[in-house]
């Protein structure tokens, strides 16, 4: 029994870097996609502001400009808030939020220790455990 635990720990230690290596690019891509949308909207709003050349237009659209600035700030704050909510204490992006189900690949579920750990975490957090297809 102890030999199985030792082998399981060795397997986990060997797989952990590979799993992290596979997941980090996907998470990075998701974060970059979200940020690009905010940056694009911000650029659009800034371009609209830059195109207002005349003082009369600025005075006429002053309220609209202030509203655009407020909306831009609100969008940036919302994006920052969303990003910050997914960072853990060490600043690492966490793809799974509290309340999301625990997902375990079918191949990983065959590992008794991994399945047991995932099931215990799911029960602890009160969320379902999902076995998903390997891709």
């Amino acid at each position: 029994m102890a030999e199985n635990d030792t082998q399981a720990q060795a397997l986990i230690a060997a797989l952990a870097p590979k799993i992290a290596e596979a997941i980090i690019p996907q998470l990075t891509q998701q974060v970059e996609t979200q940020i690009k949308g905010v940056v694009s909207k911000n650029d659009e709003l800034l371009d609209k502001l830059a195109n207002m050349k005349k003082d009369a237009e600025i005075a006429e659209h002053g309220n609209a400009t202030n509203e655009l600035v407020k909306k831009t700030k609100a969008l940036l704050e919302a994006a920052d808030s969303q990003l910050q909510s997914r960072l853990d204490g060490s600043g690492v992006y966490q793809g799974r939020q509290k309340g999301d189900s625990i997902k375990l690949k079918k191949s990983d579920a065959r590992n008794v220790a991994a399945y047991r750990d995932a099931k215990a975490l799911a029960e602890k957090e009160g969320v379902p455990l999902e076995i998903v297809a390997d891709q």
Side-chain angles (χ1 to χ4, degrees):
M1 189 64 126
E3 182 179 329
N4 284 343
D5 288 346
T6 304
Q7 290 177 347
Q9 290 299 326
L11 180 61
I12 290 169
L15 288 177
K18 296 291 184 185
I19 291 170
E21 185 178 307
I23 291 174
I24 288 174
Q26 293 173 358
L27 295 176
T28 301
Q29 182 181 7
Q30 289 176 356
V31 169
E32 288 175 356
T33 300
Q34 291 174 357
I35 301 266
K36 283 179 185 175
V38 171
V39 168
S40 173
K41 186 64 175 177
N42 188 43
D43 288 344
E44 176 187 327
L45 293 173
L46 289 173
D47 286 343
K48 286 181 181 180
L49 289 174
N51 290 333
M52 292 184 186
K53 297 177 182 175
K54 298 177 184 177
D55 290 341
E57 287 178 347
I58 292 173
E60 181 181 322
H61 298 302
N63 290 336
T65 301
N66 288 337
E67 194 61 35
L68 287 174
V69 169
K70 287 177 185 176
K71 286 180 181 179
T72 301
K73 286 181 181 179
L75 283 171
L76 289 172
E77 288 172 4
D80 185 55
S81 174
Q82 183 180 9
L83 181 61
Q84 293 298 324
S85 71
R86 291 214 172 194
L87 296 179
D88 66 9
S90 61
V92 176
Y93 179 78
Q94 299 297 314
R96 192 177 74 81
Q97 289 186 325
K98 188 173 186 172
D100 288 351
S101 64
I102 304 292
K103 293 183 176 139
L104 188 63
K105 289 195 294 185
K106 188 175 183 178
S107 61
D108 293 336
R110 291 185 181 118
N111 178 328
V112 175
Y115 179 83
R116 183 177 46 235
D117 291 345
K119 184 171 181 159
L121 181 60
E123 287 176 1
K124 177 182 172 189
E125 292 187 9
V127 296
L129 172 63
E130 293 182 36
I131 307 299
V132 295
D134 294 330
Q135 291 183 345

